Amino acid sequence: MDSEDDMHDANDAESVDDDFYSGETAMDSDDGDAADYEFIDNDSDDSNDLVSHRSQQNYTILNETDIQLRQEDDITKIASILSISNVAAAILLRHYNWSVSKVNDEWFADEEKVRRVVGLLEEPRPLPNAKELTCGICFEVYPNDSMRSAACGHPFCVTCWQGYISTSINDGPGCLTLRCPDPSCGAAVGKDMVVSLASHDDREKYRRYFLRSFVEDNRKVIVLSFNFLIIDLRFFFISPLIQNGVLLLVVDYAVDFIVGGGTFDVTCRCSYSFCWNCTEEAHRPVDCDTVSKWIMKNSAESENMNWILANSKPCPKCKRPIEKNQGCMHITCTPPCKFEFCWLCLGAWSDHGERTGGFYACNRYEAAKQEGVYDDTEKRREMAKNSLERYTHYYERWATNQSSRQKALADLQQMQSVHLEKLSDKQCQPESQLKFITEAWLQIVECRRVLKWTYAYGYYLPEHEHAKRQFFEYLQGEAESGLERLHQCAEKELQGYLNVEGPSKDFNEFRMKLAGLTSVTRNYFENLVRALENGLSDVDAHGGTSRTGGSRSLGAGSSKGRTSRSKGTASRSSGSRNIDDSGHWSCEYCTFANAKSATVCQMCQQRR
Amino acid sequence: MANVSRIHRELMQFSKDQSILGMSLMADDDDVRHLTATIPGPTSTPYDGGIFHLDITLPDGYPFDPPKMRFTTKVWHPNISSQTGAICLDILKNNWSPALNLKTALISLQALLSSPEPNDPQDAVVAKQYLGDYATFVATARRWTEDFAKASSANFSGKVHKLVEMGFPEALVKKTLEAVGGDENMALERLCPK
Ligand SMILES: [Zn+2]
Ligand SMILES: [Zn+2]
Ligand SMILES: [Zn+2]
Ligand SMILES: [Zn+2]
Ligand SMILES: [Zn+2]
Ligand SMILES: [Zn+2]
Ligand SMILES: [Zn+2]
């Protein structure tokens, strides 16, 4: 980038270009990607909108207020249909698992029976008509007006009611079906009475139980809580809490899912993503069956795999153990060695980038095998003997992306809670203008997830489908290297702007670069997911993996990349080199729209 | 924290009904929340003629939480542990209500002796026998009543005497014998310093 003016030009070009990214999935360019890169965009949307805007949603994330409103709606509905009080309606709904239609059906089928079962009296009875009454619990005598009763009229003193209610609330959600203490009675004690007699703390507990019951008893709703995120961070495999199908601790958010609306992936506001269908962690582009096969395979092999999960490997040059503590695969050994290598294949990093003309190949099992990388250590030889070699290859990459993802999640949290504020301070930027950083991290998290699952995809891709395999590995390699670029930029380059005294001159350039990388990477991955979900069905049409042919189309063509005016498929390969109307040129490799003065792609350093 | 005034009221009320019920209920001198009770075995059951001792502890949450009750007399019954005397009865658990009290709980226990619930057993061995070999069950229950529930009333003083002669203090002997349901050998085992 030559000057800041160029930066702005590039940006303007994006925002005026209404074709930008208008792909098959009808991305709305008004609130789509383009708008998100507006520097003057200072609306303070929740960052979660960023995660979810990428595709049509068939689910809604509900927060506590949303849940409460829905609950109140249902209660009011039943109360007016049956002409009963809201309290009574709530008792009925809770009994029938908050199903409005079930309450309706049962009530009109046999009202008397329903009343008996839930303890709703038709005619409320007053307290006995006497000046003084004996409390049925403490046996003390009290004046009539200091006694309370449920609709049945059985009198107990206020203190005993309080003890009764408090004991029940502290015993758990059973307090929602509280009955009159008289053992022969069974009249329901409604929410109003509980709330009026409970202590402040108990009232809050009761309120949560009440809300939770609406969510948990309602089967179409799965509840997540922040606690899951923590669990998610600690385990390589899926949180057992989710696998057991019972999903909750505290109501933080609930998810209302519309069945039949397309994909099953749901991302909660806490950024936890899961599959509605199988409740495993979100796993597009792989289908649920493959996931369960893969998870079973993993647990069957888990003993053999333990060593892989170790966080340290010997540096391929000096053999000192190196700990991988950053998310990206580009490792630099400690001084004096400083050897830069790839965590996945232990090959020199210099053999990896596009700059050297080679391409990211460490995802390629066959290549790695031929080069004898697997002969490096005793352990690997042993694994080969056990014919676990192939699985090992895929598993290691799957697991590494998984842990990179967890690391990225933790980094994202750290970013949001600490670094953004510091950065805003150091660079004199309002936090609202640092959204691009959060977005980059969310994208990394998402990409790591997709990438992870592509390894399960690769493992189950039939060996004999050579063309598909080749194409797949090419796409995957491109995805790895694209993400690596983004991850490095967000992880390492950002550090340079955090640890400075005053504002950096080139901060805007950094913003452009990171936002651009985020967008390019998102685009690539969305297309990758679609291609894999379609079973790589265009593989024949594109004739395998020729680098300049169809394979690139995934990155540039279907992405409708930054070659803003080059429309349609015909111009894919040639259009990518074109200078468009606004005088920008689009990078052939990553589709980034570069200022015309630039001779090297600002995004991927590829020569024009 | 347990409602002491309610416990006193319960004890007062109980002493009025005691003779009709044929039961006894007594609080420890130093701790009103620890009580002992006896209930007579219901007529026309294998427990007929026996006197069954219970140990009762009232938790802090009483009467909102149920009393903890346990037979100290050994009983052969599907819902009572033949080893520990633990009782499986709904009103002592989930179905407890603060409007119930020790008297109603003891009456319920007497009813439980009359009509066992072998499908909700506390003692699986007894329940299995009850369902599979009722005659043997009745015989065993009767023999246990003879050995532990009757012996304890008839020969109690004799046993006390015997143990006191061995050199143990009388009060301790009585307490220990009661705690083990009149089982002389068990009492001796407990009395002997380890
Ligand atoms: Zn009272
Ligand atoms: Zn009542
Ligand atoms: Zn969440
Ligand atoms: Zn799925
Ligand atoms: Zn699934
Ligand atoms: Zn590599
Ligand atoms: Zn480029």
Side-chain angles (χ1 to χ4, degrees):
Chain A
M1 230 22 81
D2 291 328
S3 69
E4 253 188 74
D5 284 347
D6 272 329
M7 296 297 306
H8 283 294
D9 282 345
N11 184 51
D12 289 344
E14 284 178 33
S15 49
V16 295
D17 175 13
D18 55 13
D19 261 330
F20 186 65
Y21 276 1
S22 55
E24 303 93 312
T25 46
M27 191 73 75
D28 186 350
S29 60
D30 289 338
D31 58 18
D33 302 28
D36 285 336
Y37 297 110
E38 287 280 357
F39 294 165
I40 42 156
D41 177 11
N42 51 13
D43 68 354
S44 51
D45 284 357
D46 278 340
S47 60
N48 57 73
D49 291 349
L50 300 171
V51 207
S52 44
H53 72 164
R54 58 175 63 96
S55 61
Q56 273 275 304
Q57 272 190 15
N58 49 343
Y59 61 90
T60 320
I61 306 285
L62 310 172
N63 65 18
E64 212 173 285
T65 315
D66 301 330
I67 299 167
Q68 203 175 334
L69 286 175
R70 290 196 179 202
Q71 188 177 31
E72 281 163 10
D73 270 3
D74 286 356
I75 292 171
T76 315
K77 207 181 289 165
I78 283 296
S80 75
I81 298 171
L82 309 187
S83 308
I84 54 176
S85 69
N86 277 21
V87 173
I91 291 169
L92 278 172
L93 277 163
R94 212 228 50 85
H95 183 83
Y96 293 106
N97 295 332
W98 298 96
S99 161
V100 171
S101 60
K102 183 99 168 115
V103 168
N104 218 15
D105 295 351
E106 296 286 328
W107 183 268
F108 289 112
D110 191 346
E111 178 183 330
E112 203 184 314
K113 184 182 149 211
V114 170
R115 282 185 177 279
R116 200 171 52 243
V117 169
V118 303
L120 280 181
L121 306 185
E122 192 154 12
E123 292 284 332
R125 285 178 227 125
L127 285 169
N129 191 14
K131 269 212 186 95
E132 292 192 322
L133 294 169
T134 304
C135 170
I137 294 175
C138 64
F139 305 145
E140 306 275 352
V141 176
Y142 289 97
N144 193 303
D145 61 3
S146 49
M147 301 296 267
R148 298 280 183 283
S149 78
C152 56
H154 290 129
F156 301 96
C157 75
V158 169
T159 314
C160 286
W161 268 114
Q162 285 168 338
Y164 183 58
I165 287 169
S166 158
T167 304
S168 165
I169 290 174
N170 289 293
D171 272 358
C175 61
L176 298 176
T177 55
L178 196 63
R179 305 293 180 110
C180 167
D182 187 309
S184 62
C185 176
V189 178
K191 191 184 178 200
D192 53 343
M193 187 160 182
V194 171
V195 166
S196 76
L197 288 164
S199 70
H200 178 270
D201 286 0
D202 286 350
R203 213 158 37 222
E204 179 57 21
K205 277 186 209 158
Y206 186 84
R207 198 183 64 76
R208 292 191 81 82
Y209 282 133
F210 192 71
L211 208 58
R212 250 173 80 172
S213 103
F214 179 70
V215 176
E216 289 172 345
D217 300 344
N218 226 332
R219 284 168 105 199
K220 67 171 191 249
V221 181
I222 294 183
V223 186
L224 296 173
S225 84
F226 183 70
N227 298 12
F228 272 130
L229 191 58
I230 294 167
I231 289 156
D232 193 26
L233 285 172
R234 274 199 270 132
F235 290 91
F236 277 102
F237 302 112
I238 311 307
S239 150
L241 277 168
I242 296 183
Q243 280 179 332
N244 292 342
V246 184
L247 302 156
L248 256 281
L249 313 165
V250 189
V251 173
D252 281 336
Y253 296 114
V255 180
D256 188 3
F257 189 83
I258 300 139
V259 176
T263 99
F264 286 116
D265 284 6
V266 171
T267 302
C268 181
R269 269 181 220 173
C270 66
S271 80
Y272 184 82
S273 302
F274 65 98
C275 169
W276 187 265
N277 192 40
C278 67
T279 72
E280 292 294 347
E281 183 193 24
H283 53 66
R284 286 185 77 196
V286 180
D287 62 33
C288 300
D289 286 348
T290 308
V291 169
S292 76
K293 257 196 300 186
W294 178 252
I295 287 172
M296 269 164 62
K297 174 86 180 155
N298 288 347
S299 52
E301 305 287 4
S302 64
E303 225 154 82
N304 296 316
M305 288 304 109
N306 279 341
W307 64 272
I308 284 178
L309 297 178
N311 274 327
S312 82
K313 290 185 181 183
C315 165
K317 201 171 169 196
C318 70
K319 305 296 175 202
R320 262 185 306 168
I322 301 295
E323 209 165 46
K324 176 173 181 291
N325 47 18
Q326 288 186 307
C328 93
M329 308 298 168
H330 181 173
I331 306 295
T332 306
C333 184
T334 47
C337 172
K338 289 183 180 170
F339 182 64
E340 294 179 57
F341 63 96
C342 164
W343 181 260
L344 284 181
C345 66
L346 300 176
W349 190 255
S350 54
D351 297 333
H352 279 72
E354 281 120 319
R355 227 175 304 194
T356 54
F359 57 95
Y360 204 82
C362 54
N363 62 313
R364 298 197 164 197
Y365 166 69
E366 286 303 326
K369 197 166 113 182
Q370 275 159 24
E371 284 159 19
V373 174
Y374 284 94
D375 291 330
D376 272 7
T377 67
E378 279 287 304
K379 247 173 192 159
R380 284 174 194 276
R381 217 173 288 141
E382 220 172 277
M383 297 300 287
K385 269 185 220 144
N386 295 336
S387 74
L388 274 168
E389 197 180 89
R390 184 167 172 276
Y391 168 71
T392 306
H393 172 90
Y394 288 99
Y395 180 75
E396 180 172 17
R397 280 145 188 81
W398 182 85
T400 308
N401 273 294
Q402 166 76 349
S403 48
S404 275
R405 180 174 180 275
Q406 308 301 42
K407 175 68 170 51
L409 263 174
D411 286 348
L412 171 63
Q413 301 263 312
Q414 169 84 348
M415 190 64 65
Q416 286 173 320
S417 57
V418 184
H419 288 163
L420 279 188
E421 198 184 332
K422 188 177 167 198
L423 194 66
S424 156
D425 233 44
K426 289 273 171 77
Q427 302 292 344
C428 301
Q429 303 271 346
E431 279 197 45
S432 61
Q433 300 220 353
L434 298 175
K435 254 170 84 174
F436 72 100
I437 294 174
T438 307
E439 179 158 5
W441 280 99
L442 286 167
Q443 192 57 48
I444 291 167
V445 169
E446 167 67 6
C447 290
R448 287 283 171 217
R449 190 189 64 68
V450 170
L451 206 46
K452 177 179 100 171
W453 286 112
T454 64
Y455 284 102
Y457 190 97
Y459 181 75
Y460 291 108
L461 198 59
E463 292 276 12
H464 62 268
E465 298 210 42
H466 293 296
K468 265 191 190 173
R469 288 203 71 89
Q470 271 189 313
F471 185 44
F472 166 74
E473 281 170 355
Y474 171 75
L475 295 179
Q476 195 185 40
E478 291 288 285
E480 282 274 14
S481 79
L483 175 54
E484 205 54 46
R485 255 189 334 247
L486 174 61
H487 206 155
Q488 278 214 51
C489 184
E491 187 169 280
K492 290 181 184 150
E493 291 182 36
L494 181 68
Q495 286 303 320
Y497 298 94
L498 267 171
N499 305 321
V500 287
E501 287 307 311
S504 318
K505 268 198 222 123
D506 55 352
F507 187 72
N508 262 349
E509 231 167 286
F510 169 71
R511 180 206 310 273
M512 264 304 282
K513 181 176 176 185
L514 188 58
L517 277 175
T518 304
S519 162
V520 167
T521 311
R522 169 190 302 134
N523 199 42
Y524 185 89
F525 272 78
E526 279 175 5
N527 289 315
L528 174 70
V529 166
R530 271 196 292 276
L532 297 187
E533 280 180 337
N534 292 336
L536 296 170
S537 51
D538 351 335
V539 72
D540 294 333
H542 292 302
T545 60
S546 125
R547 289 206 71 214
T548 48
S551 52
R552 178 84 24 69
S553 70
L554 191 65
S558 24
S559 71
K560 311 291 182 285
R562 305 206 172 220
T563 56
S564 35
R565 296 298 170 206
S566 78
K567 294 174 193 159
T569 47
S571 58
R572 271 180 193 165
S573 45
S574 58
S576 58
R577 275 187 187 278
N578 286 355
I579 291 178
D580 68 17
D581 304 356
S582 53
H584 289 77
W585 63 274
S586 178
C587 171
E588 187 183 346
Y589 293 90
C590 71
T591 73
F592 184 70
N594 290 284
K596 82 175 163 268
S597 55
T599 53
V600 169
C601 171
Q602 296 304 299
M603 208 51 62
C604 67
Q605 276 79 41
Q606 195 66 33
R607 242 168 269 120
R608 181 172 167 184
Chain B
M1 212 194 103
N3 189 334
V4 175
S5 97
R6 157 153 166 164
I7 300 169
H8 283 302
R9 279 168 195 279
E10 276 199 53
L11 287 167
M12 270 164 58
Q13 185 62 42
F14 192 92
S15 62
K16 288 185 201 157
D17 304 336
Q18 197 158 10
S19 50
I20 310 164
L21 292 166
M23 300 176 179
S24 75
L25 177 65
M26 250 168 50
D28 281 10
D29 293 339
D30 51 345
D31 183 3
V32 74
R33 297 185 313 166
H34 186 242
L35 306 96
T36 47
T38 58
I39 52 177
T43 48
S44 48
T45 69
Y47 312 104
D48 191 5
I51 299 291
F52 296 87
H53 291 248
L54 288 129
D55 183 88
I56 303 171
T57 307
L58 303 179
D60 282 349
Y62 187 81
F64 301 106
D65 291 326
K68 293 183 168 54
M69 294 188 165
R70 178 179 79 82
F71 278 95
T72 48
T73 305
K74 287 165 81 73
V75 190
W76 191 254
H77 184 286
N79 306 104
I80 300 163
S81 164
S82 58
Q83 299 299 311
T84 66
I87 303 159
C88 178
L89 180 64
D90 60 349
I91 62 139
L92 294 180
K93 293 168 185 166
N94 305 332
N95 287 355
W96 172 256
S97 154
L100 294 172
N101 53 56
L102 294 174
K103 184 180 92 184
T104 51
L106 290 172
I107 292 171
S108 301
L109 281 178
Q110 201 180 24
L112 184 68
L113 289 179
S114 302
S115 34
E117 296 273 2
N119 294 316
D120 181 21
Q122 171 74 41
D123 194 308
V125 177
V126 183
K128 203 175 158 205
Q129 190 189 61
Y130 182 94
L131 292 169
D133 184 359
Y134 187 71
T136 307
F137 162 78
V138 171
T140 313
R142 197 167 278 148
R143 215 189 61 234
W144 277 46
T145 305
E146 286 301 324
D147 285 357
F148 304 115
K150 283 187 186 168
S152 65
S153 53
N155 305 329
F156 194 69
S157 51
K159 286 179 189 168
V160 171
H161 184 72
K162 227 162 146 190
L163 288 166
V164 168
E165 286 215 315
M166 290 180 190
F168 301 108
E170 184 167 343
L172 184 63
V173 166
K174 278 185 174 165
K175 209 172 174 178
T176 311
L177 264 174
E178 263 168 22
V180 297
D183 187 317
E184 219 178 313
N185 291 327
M186 270 172 80
L188 187 57
E189 212 168 278
R190 284 202 192 181
L191 285 164
C192 287
K194 304 250 149 58

